[in-house]
Amino acid sequence: MTAEFTRLGPAPVDTRAEETMVRARDGVRLATDVYLPEHPGRHPAVLVRLPYDKCGRYTFMPFIAPHFTDRGYVFVVQDVAGKFRSEGDTVPYVREIADGYDTIEWIIAQPWSDGVVGMWGDSYYGFTQWAAVASGHPALRAIVPRVTSANLMTVRLGKRWDEGIAALYSADYFAHYWLDNDIYEFEVDWSHRPLAEVFDDAFRTIGKRARAIDQLMADSLGRPAFDLFAAGHPFDTVRIPVFHAGGWFDNIAPDQMRDYATLAGRADTAGLQYLMMNSTDHENYQLEDVPVPPEKDHDSNNEALERMLPRYVGPGVDFFDVHLRGKTGPTIPRVRWHLGHVGWQTAETWPPPEAREIRFHLADPSRATADADGGALSASPETVPATVRWTHDPANLVPSTVHDPFAFLGEYPDEREVESRDDVLTFTSDQLDEPLDLAGPVSLTLGLDCNAPSTGVFAKLVDVSPDGSARMLVRGQTLVRQPVGEQPARVDLGHTGYRMLPGHRLRVHVASSDFPIYLWNPGTTENPWTATSGTPSGQTLTTGGSQSSFVSLWTTETVAEP
């Protein structure tokens, strides 16, 4: 069978930019656009290094450039090696430390440079900032990594199949974006087994393979992973201000929040950390706009994009004004966070100092698979243990409710699509009489057992509206291996800032699969990438008694829990 595909090459260079081929230390030339401010002279530069086309509509760099140049910055945007107009092999991550250093070295040698550089950008081009920090270049004075993690390579590669749950969307990303200099759009048949071959039909049609996919498969078998930061992790060298910016609904938010918590918890780096979390997803869709109408879709509507850019770019430019130019003015809050359905809040720390932990205990498990409401969430644990058993069937996996996890709010699926299945457990609270403001980490503790070598636990915290619609707030997943032992399973679901409105209900949602967003579990000792079939397995959840299962939340409310 011949796969159909669409190839997306580079867009034309913007007329306001001057393109230069910057030579790296090994001779590879990196395509770089320079946007200069209106007034001549020497200026600080803001550098963006990305793999998604420096000229393209997807990352809209030509739209962003004036937001920096109008404030007196030289805006420098570069295609990383092996992508679009840049030379070199198409392999993610491995060159970014050296290439980041060499690009900064080139910048400070230019007649328009005052010798000061900042970096800005999302996702992979947030990661390239951390790589530049690891390079140790002294001209790099501040970074604004958005919706990303310094450990992005470790998250996406280097994991054995039996050490955790792999995100299939990472493999999908490598197959489409890291095949060669261009981007390829093609459909994937996720029913194919083994999954290790799921992209091969497209690769054969296109005539080449994504080396990152082969690396991922080798890592799944236990090949020693490439240590990008062997010479020093950026957390051990960062001594510049860092503005962590992200969104509560971003699929990478849990990893970004771990970065922030790590650095904010260290005496030598705490004073350099700033945090801003909005009610947005990875693609910058906003909670207050859902369902997103065409006139507010910045991905396709230029007017919507122009309206979105000030909130997207502005806080980073303000940060650079202070830390690159030394301007005085309004103090930048240490923590700025958006409370969903309410608005912006500030604090000195995260969680906010006034936040406290509350727990809702899973109860009435006999009803957990009965319907979408399922069992109960109770303020107090049941004294008598009770159990519910369900079957994980590899031939009938729980389907993912979202198609593109990077654009969760763009889709904003109703979790009722799967919550009435007999292999999805739900526990729902009573209706809230008063607002409940959530502000902090969310985790789930489960008394869990299984009769298979391992099982996946996929958990969601859900807001149930009076009309019954159920929308996910945060999610998390973990792999539980036999023997389970006496310790309960813990699932970290990330962080949130969100107001539960009166009349709404909280729901905890637990399943053993979420496919094809996450890798399946065949219920055997086989590698799920290479397995061709699976075996059904049983899972048992215990609530009450000494093995109480509960969800932990943090709230700024002083009212009693419902």
Side-chain angles (χ1 to χ4, degrees):
M1 179 174 143
T2 301
E4 295 184 357
F5 68 90
T6 300
R7 181 172 180 164
L8 304 177
V13 175
D14 189 86
T15 57
R16 296 163 297 174
E18 179 180 347
E19 186 181 56
T20 301
M21 299 300 287
V22 174
R23 189 175 298 273
R25 64 190 66 181
D26 61 355
V28 168
R29 298 185 305 159
L30 306 174
T32 308
D33 286 352
V34 175
Y35 297 81
L36 294 173
E38 180 179 349
H39 301 292
R42 295 182 178 273
H43 306 276
V46 173
L47 170 64
V48 177
R49 304 190 60 250
L50 78 175
Y52 307 122
D53 186 11
K54 60 184 173 58
C55 309
R57 177 59 173 77
Y58 173 60
T59 57
F60 37 80
M61 290 295 131
F63 289 82
I64 289 172
H67 290 263
F68 286 99
T69 57
D70 289 351
R71 297 274 283 268
Y73 295 95
V74 178
F75 190 56
V76 183
V77 192
Q78 183 181 84
D79 292 329
V80 300
K83 292 304 300 177
F84 291 93
R85 289 181 167 87
S86 286
E87 300 172 347
D89 293 337
T90 306
V91 182
Y93 305 115
V94 297
R95 294 183 55 102
E96 307 308 358
I97 294 176
D99 288 355
Y101 186 100
D102 293 349
T103 302
I104 294 172
E105 189 73 1
W106 176 83
I107 287 173
I108 63 174
Q110 303 311 302
W112 40 257
S113 170
D114 69 357
V116 174
V117 178
M119 293 185 72
W120 178 94
D122 296 16
S123 199
Y124 193 95
Y125 44 118
F127 169 81
T128 58
Q129 298 174 56
W130 285 115
V133 168
S135 81
H137 201 295
L140 183 60
R141 305 291 177 82
I143 61 173
V144 183
R146 302 184 77 264
V147 294
T148 193
S149 170
N151 298 306
L152 197 61
M153 178 179 175
T154 306
V155 170
R156 296 190 180 276
L157 291 172
K159 183 181 295 184
R160 273 185 57 93
W161 67 269
D162 56 355
E163 290 180 343
I165 294 175
L168 268 183
Y169 62 79
S170 292
D172 194 56
Y173 163 75
F174 290 136
H176 289 81
Y177 286 85
W178 289 91
L179 197 58
D180 61 16
N181 287 67
D182 299 328
I183 292 173
Y184 292 82
E185 295 179 348
F186 55 85
E187 294 296 321
V188 177
D189 177 13
W190 293 111
S191 67
H192 181 87
R193 299 293 183 272
L195 276 173
E197 301 173 354
V198 75
F199 306 114
D200 286 3
D201 188 40
F203 289 168
R204 281 190 293 269
T205 303
I206 295 168
K208 59 190 68 177
R209 295 184 60 83
R211 288 169 58 183
I213 291 292
D214 295 332
Q215 180 182 349
L216 186 152
M217 297 306 166
D219 289 349
S220 78
L221 295 173
R223 184 193 71 172
F226 171 73
D227 186 358
L228 179 69
F229 297 133
H233 194 280
F235 290 179
D236 297 326
T237 59
V238 62
R239 295 298 181 270
I240 60 175
V242 181
F243 188 19
H244 307 259
W248 301 129
F249 297 91
D250 173 28
N251 51 310
I252 299 178
D255 303 298
Q256 180 169 27
M257 292 301 293
R258 275 190 287 271
D259 285 4
Y260 169 76
T262 298
L263 292 168
R266 290 173 36 166
D268 57 342
T269 56
L272 297 168
Q273 309 309 308
Y274 297 80
L275 177 69
M276 186 181 78
M277 294 296 289
N278 200 351
S279 295
T280 48
D281 62 18
H282 198 79
E283 298 290 356
N284 296 294
Y285 291 111
Q286 190 140 350
L287 176 65
E288 63 191 34
D289 292 336
V290 296
V292 180
E295 63 271 18
K296 290 189 176 182
D297 189 350
H298 58 265
D299 183 56
S300 57
N301 185 307
N302 285 350
E303 292 181 359
L305 175 62
E306 293 287 7
R307 291 193 299 269
M308 184 270 285
L309 286 178
R311 68 169 171 82
Y312 174 60
V313 183
V317 183
D318 293 341
F319 184 76
F320 288 139
D321 280 351
V322 173
H323 295 288
L324 298 186
R325 306 177 72 97
K327 286 189 175 182
T328 58
T331 302
I332 296 176
R334 284 289 172 179
V335 176
R336 188 177 183 221
W337 59 284
H338 192 269
L339 180 62
H341 301 309
V342 179
W344 286 103
Q345 318 290 313
T346 60
E348 282 299 311
T349 59
W350 182 263
E354 68 273 21
R356 61 189 178 89
E357 184 193 19
I358 59 172
R359 293 180 177 182
F360 289 90
H361 297 265
L362 280 57
D364 195 10
S366 64
R367 286 196 47 79
T369 60
D371 53 29
D373 284 347
L377 286 180
S378 172
S380 301
E382 296 176 318
T383 57
V384 178
T387 61
V388 58
R389 191 177 186 277
W390 75 102
T391 299
H392 165 62
D393 184 356
N396 184 24
L397 299 168
V398 178
S400 302
T401 55
V402 64
H403 176 262
D404 179 2
F406 294 97
F408 175 77
L409 290 175
E411 298 182 26
Y412 209 42
D414 190 334
E415 298 299 328
R416 288 181 298 179
E417 295 175 19
V418 299
E419 285 179 341
S420 292
R421 289 174 57 113
D422 61 9
D423 56 354
V424 176
L425 281 60
T426 54
F427 299 85
T428 308
S429 74
D430 293 335
Q431 287 189 353
L432 301 174
D433 295 327
E434 302 288 340
L436 180 64
D437 290 348
L438 305 179
V442 180
S443 65
L444 186 61
T445 299
L446 300 173
L448 191 69
D449 199 0
C450 66
N451 64 8
S454 66
T455 189
V457 180
F458 298 86
K460 300 177 183 180
L461 182 69
V462 176
D463 177 0
V464 183
S465 297
D467 65 3
S469 59
R471 311 291 180 177
M472 186 190 82
L473 302 181
V474 288
R475 65 162 306 140
Q477 50 283 328
T478 193
L479 185 70
V480 176
R481 290 181 290 272
Q482 286 283 29
V484 174
E486 297 182 359
Q487 292 297 318
R490 177 185 166 97
V491 188
D492 292 319
L493 282 74
H495 293 243
T496 190
Y498 186 84
R499 172 167 287 181
M500 291 290 301
L501 299 174
H504 287 232
R505 296 176 292 161
L506 277 169
R507 176 174 294 159
V508 167
H509 164 144
V510 179
S512 297
S513 54
D514 189 338
F515 188 83
I517 298 300
Y518 292 93
L519 188 63
W520 73 314
N521 189 317
T524 67
T525 57
E526 291 184 89
N527 182 338
W529 287 109
T530 56
T532 58
S533 62
T535 300
S537 59
Q539 280 70 233
T540 302
L541 175 67
T542 301
T543 68
S546 61
Q547 267 201 324
S548 177
S549 298
F550 60 88
V551 59
S552 168
L553 309 168
W554 286 69
T555 178
T556 54
E557 292 296 310
T558 57
V559 297
E561 302 89 31

